[in-house]
Amino acid sequence: QVQPVESGGGSVQAGGSLRLSCVLSKYLPGTGDFYSLAWFRQPPGRLRVGVAALNFGGRSTYYDVSLEDRFTVSQDNAKNTMYLQMNNLKPEDTAVYFCAAGRGWNHGLDDRKYHTWGQGTQVTVSA
């Protein structure tokens, strides 16, 4: 089955930017399989929450409304990759960021609909 693999995390000062990547490995385009891909994050000592999502191969995107002015989700279908561009980062953005895949479209940020998860990538924002 498909497996999302994240990369791009790191440490940055407040106000900086990072771009996370999620490669959907073992995905075979043209087979009729459709997937939603999403970014979730888990801050230290807190629950995991949704950040942004998209229909892979489609046009719809979904955001946590509190983040959409700073975060942008996009995709490169030729590379089987989803990106999360994060600008004007704040210390409260510090978290482990996970990429998740769910069969079908329009799952949005409902984590119950995502069945395959990456191992996560750490993002640390210092003041």
Side-chain angles (χ1 to χ4, degrees):
Q1 65 175 3
V2 299
Q3 178 63 48
V5 180
E6 311 96 336
S7 63
S11 297
V12 64
Q13 289 190 327
S17 298
L18 282 174
R19 188 178 77 159
L20 305 182
S21 300
C22 173
V23 176
L24 190 62
S25 67
K26 302 181 181 179
Y27 173 70
L28 298 177
T31 61
D33 284 340
F34 296 91
Y35 287 90
S36 295
L37 295 181
W39 290 102
F40 293 82
R41 69 184 185 181
Q42 186 166 17
R46 300 178 63 182
L47 297 176
R48 185 177 63 198
V49 296
V51 174
L54 52 75
N55 293 340
F56 194 62
R59 295 185 176 184
S60 295
T61 57
Y62 306 84
Y63 290 94
D64 178 306
V65 294
S66 69
L67 299 174
E68 62 182 333
D69 61 333
R70 299 187 294 120
F71 290 11
T72 302
V73 67
S74 62
Q75 61 186 298
D76 184 337
N77 299 121
K79 297 181 178 180
N80 286 355
T81 301
M82 173 179 68
Y83 302 100
L84 183 68
Q85 177 67 41
M86 305 184 293
N87 298 326
N88 190 23
L89 283 162
K90 303 176 181 181
E92 51 264 41
D93 295 317
T94 294
V96 178
Y97 285 71
F98 297 92
C99 180
R103 192 179 297 273
W105 276 2
N106 302 316
H107 293 344
L109 299 180
D110 185 348
D111 64 353
R112 298 169 299 178
K113 296 185 177 179
Y114 292 89
H115 59 274
T116 308
W117 294 75
Q119 293 193 338
T121 185
Q122 177 70 45
V123 171
T124 302
V125 185
S126 57

